[in-house]
Amino acid sequence: MRIILMKEKKVALITGITGQDGSYLAELLLKKGYEVHGLVRRSSSMCNRKWIDGLDIQLHYGDMTDPHSLDYILRDNEFDEIYNLAGQTHVGISFENPTYTFNVNTIGVLNLLESCRKFNDKARIYQASTSEMLASKWMMIGGRGKELLGSNEETLFEVHSPYACSKLAAHELCKIYSNAYGMFICCGLLFNHESPRRGDNFVTQKIVKGLINKENFELGNIDTYRDWGYAGDYVEAMWLMLQQDKPSDYVIATNESHSVSEFIEECCSQLNLNCKFLKEHILINETIDGPDSVIYLKDSQKRPWDVQYLRGDPSKAKRILGWEPKIKFKELIKIMIKEELKKYEK
């Protein structure tokens, strides 16, 4: 008689586990009783792991650009779910380092898919795609102009940066491996999602930290519009995608769009600061003694080419996954400010 040993719990691998999304996802999976593994680069310092410090997870040294390291991990472990959150995720930096961006975001995904195909082809895979791949969607309103609509899973692709292009190439690779080899792969087209764990070089964190710490800092185009959600909400959508009977791609968003200047104004409102918008700078809490801080608007901070408007329609995720955002624009800013004030007060 053959004895079949059943797993006590699901086993998941998270690449990019030390980042914003990876750390929130690790916490979520642990709460759901998973055995959680993470991929980290051997060169990563311990300070880069502060969000996962103390979590009951198993770490594996490897690199998305090193196929052999991925082979070893996938060969020696049997994962039920694999969440690929690793990558170069900053749009502006992708213009400065396009080759590195493609090596990690595209070739890295190809390496992971190949390792899965060879050693773990039954694993369910989540690939982090991006809203930066999607064209803006408009509706004409008679002779009164046009209204920005939410882009969905049927919206045409339109890329404006090496980052978006690298993600689109990875997205198409996932389609190929799914259709050619029958692998269970879901791509999440996530719109901008923030949190207190967001990197300091991203605009939302730069604004929150700069205002609270009364620092002068520089921004580029403050008239771009983005659909901003909360990272803690969005990782739940990632998990839900891999629990479905069939793989599919999903837009994850709030269906609201706000400009960078609106983000600044809301931050100032919640911090009880005055802001005065001038042509080349913004004065924060200006008095006869001068402003608390100055935000300089510099062309050097602008991207060579950018998406002006982004807004997502998560209707499919609500209909099939039962997911919808719990936290939206003002509450998101409140959360980010609250955590940064704790650091400031210390």
Side-chain angles (χ1 to χ4, degrees), residues 271-283:
L271 289 166
N272 295 315
L273 300 173
N274 298 315
C275 54
K276 185 177 182 180
F277 287 76
L278 300 174
K279 185 177 180 181
E280 295 182 348
H281 54 271
I282 305 168
L283 302 177

Side-chain angles (χ1 to χ4, degrees), residues 63 117 122 140 165:
D63 195 300
R117 182 186 68 81
K122 300 304 179 186
M140 302 306 297
C165 191

Side-chain angles (χ1 to χ4, degrees), residues 53-164:
D53 185 36
L55 296 182
D56 183 18
I57 55 180
Q58 298 182 43
L59 297 179
H60 303 271
Y61 287 112
D63 195 300
M64 296 294 290
T65 62
D66 177 11
H68 299 295
S69 67
L70 297 178
D71 280 351
Y72 290 139
I73 296 168
L74 271 295
R75 183 193 63 192
D76 296 340
N77 298 274
E78 185 177 347
F79 299 111
D80 298 292
E81 297 170 6
I82 297 173
Y83 296 86
N84 181 36
L85 309 182
Q88 195 296 98
T89 59
H90 196 285
V91 176
I93 290 175
S94 76
F95 284 99
E96 302 169 11
N97 297 286
T99 302
Y100 174 75
T101 300
F102 266 82
N103 282 341
V104 177
N105 293 357
T106 308
I107 303 303
V109 172
L110 179 60
N111 292 337
L112 180 62
L113 291 173
E114 266 295 284
S115 292
C116 289
R117 182 186 68 81
K118 291 185 291 185
F119 302 111
N120 210 160
D121 64 342
K122 300 304 179 186
R124 296 187 170 201
I125 301 170
Y126 171 83
Q127 164 61 16
S129 290
T130 174
S131 60
E132 293 282 336
M133 295 161 29
L134 298 172
S136 300
K137 190 175 179 181
W138 299 90
M139 179 178 70
M140 302 306 297
I141 309 175
R144 294 182 288 117
K146 55 187 181 179
E147 178 185 354
L148 180 65
L149 300 178
S151 299
N152 58 30
E153 295 80 7
E154 306 302 320
T155 302
L156 296 176
F157 293 131
E158 182 180 302
V159 298
H160 293 78
S161 66
Y163 167 76

